[in-house]
Each structure stands twice: as C-alpha cells, then as structure tokens.
Amino acid sequence: MSDTEDPSAIDEITNFRAKRLRQLLYITLACLNLGVALIYIFAYHLPTLLTLVGCDIMMLYALHTLLLNKVDKAASILLWSISVGLTIAVLLNSGLRDPAILSFPAILFFAALMCSRREFTLLYVYFCTATVLIGLTHLSGLRNEGYDPVNIPNIAIILLILTAASLSIRTISHDLRSALSKLEKGNRQLKISKAKAQYMAQYDELTGLPNRSLCQDRFNYQMKLIQRHGGQIALLFIDLDNFKTINDSLGHSVGDQVLKTVAGNLAQCLRKVDTAGRFGGDEFIVLLTEVNHIRDVQKTCNKILNAVNQNIVLDSYSIQTSASIGIAMAPKDGADFDSYCKKADIAMYQAKADGKNLFRFFDASMNTVSQERFVLIKDLRDALKQNQLTLFYQPKVDLRTARLVGAEALIRWQHPERGLIAPRQFIELAEETGLIVEIGDWVLEEACRQCRSWHEAGYPDFEVAVNLSSVQFARGNLTEQVEKALSQSGLAGKYLELELTESLLLGEGEHILTQLSNIKNLGVSFSIDDFGTGYSNLSYLSKYNLDALKIDQSFVFKMLESKQNLNIIIAIINIAKSLDLTVVAEGIESAETLEKLTQLGCEFAQGYYWAKPQSSADFLKYVEQNNVNC
Ligand code: C2E
Ligand code: MG
Ligand code: MG
C-alpha cells in the first residue's frame, strides 16, 4: 500500500466486490436449483443431476467463504466449480456441439473482472485443454452420441475463438481496471486533502491543539449552554514568560520542541470537558467549562503553572520555562469571544507586570491606561509581521564642506488606526517586552539595504547611522546580526555607524566590550548618542574604541541663550578633540546656531534647519534637489 492509500477506500472497493459476488452466487444458486428441478421432473438424467448438485454444494461453500470475508477465494470457488460443472455437462451432452460451450468466454469475462491475472490465465488454459480433450473424445469415438461429428479444424476454430475472446476481454478489463484504479487514486487523494484541509483549518499544526477558530466555536457553543442552563466558563490566556529568549538563543527547532512539551503538559492539567488551544507563537488558550466555583479555576491555574514551570531537557539543553495566565470569566466579563480574549490578555499582562509565573483574573479596575498600554504592546507584536514599521531618514551634514554625508535612520510605526507613531511612544515598550531585538534586527537590515541603494543611485559615499538599544546587546548575537545586515545588502561596514547610549557603556560589561570590538572589526563605527545627558564619569570613553560623540539636542536648542549650555558644548567638543573623536551636533534649527557650532569646530550636524526625518523617497528627492550641497 502506498503512503497515500487510504485503507477505508480499499475496504469500500472490497465491500463492493463482495456485494456483487454475493448477488452472483444467489443468482447462480437459483439457476442451479431450477436446473435440478427441471431435469428431475422433465428429463431425468442422473449424471447431469449429480453435476448440478455438486455445483450447488460448491456454491454454498463459496457463499460460506464469502461470509468469512475471503472474497478472492469465494470468487475462485465460484468460477472453478462452474467451469468444471459446465465441462462435465458439455462432455455428457453434445460435446463441442453443445450450446453450453458458449459460456466458456462468458466465464473468462467474469474472471477478468473478478480475479487475478494468474487465475484468468489458468482458466483460459483450462478451457483450451478441456476443448481439446472433449474434441479428442469425439474424434476418437469414445463419446459419439450420434450428433454431427467434429474434426480437427472444428477444435482449432473453437480454440481460436476462445483465444481471441480472452485476449480482447483481457485488454478491455485491463483498461477498465487501470481507469478505475486511477479514479480510485484520485478519489482517495481528494479525500485525504479534504481531511487535511479540514484539520488544518481547525488545529494547530505544531502542537495538534485546536486553533483559534476551533476554540472560538467551542467557546460559542459553551456560551449557548450557560445562557440556557446557567453556570460559568473561564477563558485562560497563557503566555510563556521567556520564550523569546529561548527561541532567539537556542533556535527555532528547540523553541518548537518547548512549545510541544508545554502543550502536552497543559493538556494533562485539564478535564475532558475543557479545551486547550494554541493561538500561535507562545500564546495558549484554555477554556474551562462547567465552572461551579472560582476556587476550581484557581486550582487549575496553579496546576498549569506547576506543569509549565519546570526544566525541560532537550538536545543537552536544560530549559527553564514558566508562564503567566490571565483569566476572563463568562458571562461576567464580556459579550463575545474576542472581548473575552482581550480581557484575558490584559489580565495576562498584569500577571507579567506583577512578576510573571502568576495568574490574574481580569478586573475592571485594571485601569484604562494600562489597558491601552497592553493593547499597544499587542499591536506592536503584529506591527513587524504586518510591515507597519518604516524608517525615516534625517540628513547629516559635514559642516566643514557643507555637504551631505548620509543620514540617521529613525524608526516610525504606521499604525492602522492611530496613524504615524513616533519612536519615543513605543521604543520603551519594545525594550520592556524584548520586541526591540526583532525590531532592531529589522532596522539594521532595512537601513543597510537603503544605504546600499543610495550608493547605487549615484551617492557612493553616503553613510547611514542606526540607533541601537542596550537590550540588543544583552542577547549576545549582535555581531552576527550586523554581519548579516551588511552581507545581505552588500554594504561595506565603513558606511554603517551605530549609535549607542551612554548608559550601555557604564557597566563593567565584558561581553559588551567583546561585541563592540567584533563589530568594529567589520569596519563599522560607533558614536555616543545624546552625549552629556547621562553620566558624569567619563572614564568609559577611553575604555571603548569609539568614533564620535553626538551632542544632545537639549544643549544645542538653547546654546545661544544659555551660557551654561554653550560651555557644555565647548567642553564636549574639547573632550572629543582630545580623545580623537569627531563631534556631531543634533537639533540645529537656525542659521545662527549653525554658525556658532561651525565656529566652535563642530564637524557634523543634523537638524530641522536642513530637514526633518523623512521617508526614503522624500530623502532622495531632498538629496537630488540640493545636489548634495547644503
Ligand atoms: P535620537 O537618536 O537622538 O534622534 C534624534 C531625534 O531628534 C529624532 O526624533 C529627530 O526627529 C529629532 N530631531 C532631529 N533634529 C531635530 C531638530 O532640529 N529639532 C527637534 N525638535 N528635533 C529634532 P525621533 O525620530 O522622534 O527619535 C527619537 C528617539 O527614538 C531617537 O533619538 C532614538 O533614541 C530613538 N530611536 C529612533 N529610531 C530608533 C531605532 O531604530 N532604534 C532605537 N533603539 N531607537 C530609535
Ligand atoms: Mg540617534
Ligand atoms: Mg540623539
């Protein structure tokens, strides 16, 4: 049986054959009994009578075999008994002149449809031999009852007819069989794909748990029941606490194994009436039905937390998992499935905020600010997948030559309902949730790709500056990510500048030092963003191999009015000069500020004076209009 063959389809065919054979056996039995009766009454002839009775018994035996589900054997008994019976009848009556000989091709036809090729050939050989033997008995005068004598050409003609008939029958039946088997195969494949499609529409492929749509169906069904009979349902939203780290550090296949193990553990905590499902990623859902008391829900939640909170050993890794659970109670907390999910989701984030590995019931007092925040985090998760993130570019100018040298890439979120969202509104959330790692990878790749396209558009010296979050260093594979972004885009490392925050460089962080020097080896340069706002101990500046300081815009904005700010800027420029670092000023909005900064020896600048951050297309237009000179 091939792997696509469906045993049920084969059963269907066997059943069909058995049904037809049974009908044939009944008809044959009826005919035989009628024959016995007619011969007994009208033309009593003992040998014929005995032959018919013998066939009768064999038919009953075939019927018995069929009842034991041995279809092939039953067909064989039927054919051979009829064939032998008819041969005897032919021999006993008019020999080759007997009309019964006409049934030989008919039996062959039946054999071609019901039996194997071997059985068919055996029957053909049998009929030929029988014809020759019967003919010989006539020719030799052994049996000659006064009928027309036969001669060798007569025998040869019968043999020829038998051969021609069996060849045509064999060919036709072969065509029929192959057409039928093709049809069967198509039918079987159709059934399999239909079943597969049905399964995939309702179940999660990785864990085998019901997916969102099946969970929704079950929830709606349970809701109808409680509306009629009363009672409660608990909808549990479960999210693994550290799944992202597991996936990022150990790879997707380990991540998948963890999800499968968690799914198995989860299912074991539930009763038969409950449902565990997966919404995708590391989000699971549980429907607890027939809930009599909140205590029962708490008990199950504790059970689930215990089952998930354990060391999973996989491929020589020992992985610690835990989960946070948010619970919405029906009919109290909502109107429809989506609103229950949303509330359970909010409660789940509350559980995370309260320290993880906990469960929390949704409570209306979970204030709207935090609800909005939760919703924003949720949306941010989708933003990457749905290509809602985009990069804007702010020109960077060399003050010594007044020429454009490249741009800083600044992220924007094109939210489907809220419009364009500035980074200050979501970067912090992204950092808290760890989403910044994925977002940061995307920013790196996109910025490098864009810079490479400027080179191709005729600006081969343009550089791009990308902001990095300290969280991106924590993961430990930033070097590989930078390498990947450069190699995918074909951009040389010297055209990429990474902007770091002061706070990142303050700790002891041996691992940061290693990563920085590895990235540096790729030709990439580093600058300190918003310099001057952070820390007063500047010893870190000599510890790391940096390239530039970016004066924070808060000093630049008021440098002409505030002597203090001006002094800070002068001090920063001096520090940079003495450490052999270049200086970039941010937030230049007026010609006066520009003039002053140039006078002070600041080398590079950005600001609304030239342009606000703009889309890549607008940036290119800007560059073309200004012909690189600013
Ligand atoms: P930043 O890196 O210091 O970027 C400079 C910010 O100042 C930008 O705000 C820019 O639009 C704004 N700016 C530039 N020139 C002027 C000016 O002349 N006047 C005024 N009033 N503002 C000016 P934006 O784009 O809202 O970015 C805010 C911060 O978000 C950035 O500060 C950076 O820390 C962060 N950020 C932006 N994109 C990313 C990113 O891809 N990854 C990370 N980790 N952080 C990012
Ligand atoms: Mg920056
Ligand atoms: Mg800045």
Side-chain angles (χ1 to χ4, degrees):
M1 200 192 296
S2 82
D3 56 354
T4 51
E5 274 180 2
D6 173 10
S8 66
I10 293 171
D11 283 353
E12 220 173 273
I13 298 163
T14 314
N15 288 343
F16 183 72
R17 280 182 66 215
K19 188 180 158 194
R20 280 280 170 270
L21 192 60
R22 199 166 44 247
Q23 287 168 346
L24 260 164
L25 279 166
Y26 287 145
I27 293 169
T28 317
L29 265 170
C31 291
L32 283 169
N33 288 334
L34 190 68
V36 170
L38 287 175
I39 289 178
Y40 187 77
I41 300 167
F42 298 111
Y44 186 81
H45 184 243
L46 190 62
T48 308
L49 215 52
L50 285 176
T51 311
L52 289 180
V53 171
C55 284
D56 228 1
I57 293 168
M58 289 311 283
M59 287 312 105
L60 288 172
Y61 177 49
L63 210 54
H64 168 75
T65 315
L66 191 61
L67 286 176
L68 297 176
N69 269 340
K70 295 175 183 169
V71 183
D72 288 339
K73 192 176 170 191
S76 212
I77 296 169
L78 166 74
L79 284 172
W80 281 102
S81 346
I82 294 288
S83 304
V84 173
L86 280 166
T87 314
I88 297 170
V90 168
L91 195 64
L92 292 178
N93 295 295
S94 325
L96 294 185
R97 304 278 183 203
D98 197 280
I101 205 157
L102 291 175
S103 59
F104 285 6
I107 293 174
L108 278 175
F109 181 74
F110 183 71
L113 291 179
M114 290 295 280
C115 302
S116 65
R117 180 184 283 241
R118 188 176 153 269
E119 192 113 39
F120 174 84
T121 315
L122 277 175
L123 269 169
Y124 164 71
V125 172
Y126 166 79
F127 284 131
C128 289
T129 317
T131 307
V132 173
L133 287 177
I134 296 168
L136 285 179
T137 54
H138 276 224
L139 278 178
S140 62
L142 214 65
R143 277 197 62 84
N144 199 339
E145 313 255 317
Y147 292 103
D148 286 352
V150 290
N151 50 27
I152 290 183
N154 288 148
I155 301 173
I157 284 170
I158 295 174
L159 286 179
L160 272 176
I161 291 170
L162 265 177
T163 309
S166 65
L167 277 177
S168 0
I169 291 165
R170 184 70 231 167
T171 318
I172 292 167
S173 82
H174 176 264
D175 290 350
L176 271 174
R177 269 175 194 242
S178 74
L180 196 70
S181 91
K182 267 183 206 153
L183 263 174
E184 274 162 20
K185 205 172 165 193
N187 194 20
R188 250 176 276 144
Q189 266 162 359
L190 201 76
K191 274 189 186 167
I192 291 169
S193 2
K194 212 170 130 191
K196 216 172 176 179
Q198 215 164 16
Y199 180 84
M200 278 168 70
Q202 294 195 309
Y203 290 90
D204 167 52
E205 220 183 335
L206 178 72
T207 58
L209 293 179
N211 64 10
R212 188 185 179 106
S213 117
L214 185 55
C215 287
Q216 183 164 8
D217 283 354
R218 292 193 183 168
F219 179 84
N220 290 342
Y221 174 72
Q222 290 298 332
M223 274 302 272
K224 278 192 192 127
L225 287 186
I226 60 169
Q227 274 157 6
R228 205 176 306 155
H229 308 295
Q232 294 183 89
I233 310 169
L235 189 148
L236 277 55
F237 212 89
I238 304 168
D239 189 280
L240 296 187
D241 291 330
N242 52 348
F243 184 69
K244 179 130 195 62
T245 326
I246 297 171
N247 226 12
D248 285 343
S249 51
L250 304 178
H252 289 286
S253 70
V254 174
D256 284 354
Q257 292 299 318
V258 169
L259 289 175
K260 275 192 197 172
T261 315
V262 168
N265 293 346
L266 195 63
Q268 277 174 12
C269 301
L270 306 178
R271 301 161 302 168
K272 276 211 172 84
V273 286
D274 301 328
T275 296
R278 181 175 172 235
F279 272 15
D282 58 341
E283 289 176 349
F284 293 90
I285 185 180
V286 164
L287 301 177
L288 301 179
T289 54
E290 298 170 20
V291 173
N292 296 322
H293 204 280
I294 290 293
R295 258 199 323 268
D296 302 333
V297 180
Q298 290 167 332
K299 240 190 230 166
T300 311
C301 285
N302 276 324
K303 229 168 146 184
I304 293 174
L305 289 179
N306 280 335
V308 178
N309 188 0
Q310 53 175 280
N311 262 321
I312 301 174
V313 180
L314 282 174
D315 296 354
S316 76
Y317 298 114
S318 172
I319 302 157
Q320 176 66 44
T321 51
S322 70
S324 299
I325 307 177
I327 308 147
M329 295 299 298
K332 173 173 78 72
D333 289 334
D336 56 12
F337 182 68
D338 284 342
S339 65
Y340 284 105
C341 284
K342 197 170 151 191
K343 298 209 167 134
D345 200 16
I346 289 171
M348 187 270 290
Y349 275 109
Q350 189 64 55
K352 283 208 193 273
D354 290 350
K356 300 181 176 172
N357 193 22
L358 295 167
F359 64 86
R360 287 283 177 267
F361 283 90
F362 173 78
D363 177 342
S365 72
M366 288 177 178
N367 63 48
T368 44
V369 175
S370 64
Q371 286 190 31
E372 256 180 38
R373 198 179 125 89
F374 296 140
V375 172
L376 202 64
I377 292 174
K378 181 127 195 67
D379 287 355
L380 192 53
R381 284 172 197 267
D382 300 331
L384 250 178
K385 286 180 225 146
Q386 293 169 5
N387 291 328
Q388 292 169 8
L389 298 179
T390 177
L391 288 185
F392 272 29
Y393 298 90
Q394 186 178 39
K396 187 170 158 188
V397 179
D398 187 337
L399 299 181
R400 296 159 302 185
T401 58
R403 283 174 75 84
L404 229 144
V405 289
E408 177 178 2
L410 293 154
I411 197 165
R412 300 288 181 269
W413 176 7
Q414 187 66 58
H415 192 283
E417 286 137 31
R418 295 165 187 233
L420 203 65
I421 305 184
R424 297 213 193 277
Q425 285 173 262
F426 66 89
I427 289 290
E428 210 183 298
L429 279 186
E431 287 178 333
E432 276 173 26
T433 50
L435 278 170
I436 191 70
V437 172
E438 221 173 311
I439 293 176
D441 289 347
W442 175 82
V443 171
L444 266 171
E445 287 173 22
E446 178 62 16
C448 289
R449 196 192 55 75
Q450 191 59 60
C451 187
R452 175 82 184 141
S453 81
W454 295 332
H455 290 183
E456 281 162 4
Y459 306 99
D461 296 326
F462 271 17
E463 301 161 6
V464 72
V466 170
N467 293 283
L468 284 188
S469 154
S470 52
V471 181
Q472 286 173 269
F473 281 88
R475 190 176 48 160
N477 73 339
L478 190 61
T479 315
E480 287 79 43
Q481 286 305 329
V482 174
E483 219 170 350
K484 188 175 155 207
L486 290 174
S487 68
Q488 267 180 3
S489 58
L491 186 74
K494 65 174 177 172
Y495 297 110
L496 175 66
E497 180 180 287
L498 298 177
E499 297 191 4
L500 313 173
T501 56
E502 270 185 284
S503 56
L504 171 78
L505 307 174
L506 294 180
E508 282 305 304
E510 198 52 42
H511 72 288
I512 290 179
L513 196 63
T514 328
Q515 291 185 69
L516 287 185
S517 77
N518 288 341
I519 296 172
K520 198 92 213 216
N521 287 339
L522 300 171
V524 176
S525 55
F526 288 106
S527 61
I528 308 285
D529 205 357
D530 306 338
F531 186 75
T533 53
Y535 194 61
S536 55
N537 179 355
L538 300 178
S539 64
Y540 72 89
L541 283 180
S542 56
K543 184 172 160 192
Y544 298 103
N545 186 5
L546 304 165
D547 302 274
L549 298 183
K550 290 189 84 171
I551 307 172
D552 188 63
Q553 38 183 282
S554 61
F555 304 121
V556 178
F557 287 154
K558 289 186 191 153
M559 67 178 282
L560 298 181
E561 297 104 74
S562 156
K563 186 95 181 112
Q564 208 184 357
N565 280 0
L566 183 67
N567 286 340
I568 292 174
I569 291 175
I570 295 171
I572 294 175
I573 294 174
N574 285 337
I575 292 170
K577 293 256 144 73
S578 61
L579 291 171
D580 210 15
L581 303 170
T582 52
V583 186
V584 187
E586 290 191 291
I588 293 160
E589 294 185 349
S590 68
E592 294 76 28
T593 317
L594 164 65
E595 200 186 323
K596 186 76 190 164
L597 280 165
T598 318
Q599 203 184 5
L600 291 172
C602 178
E603 291 135 318
F604 297 95
Q606 292 170 231
Y608 291 177
Y609 174 71
W610 291 280
K612 286 188 172 181
Q614 50 201 328
S615 70
S616 56
D618 288 346
F619 174 75
L620 206 60
K621 258 189 236 156
Y622 175 84
V623 175
E624 277 159 8
Q625 275 163 12
N626 291 281
N627 204 12
V628 191
N629 294 309
C630 293

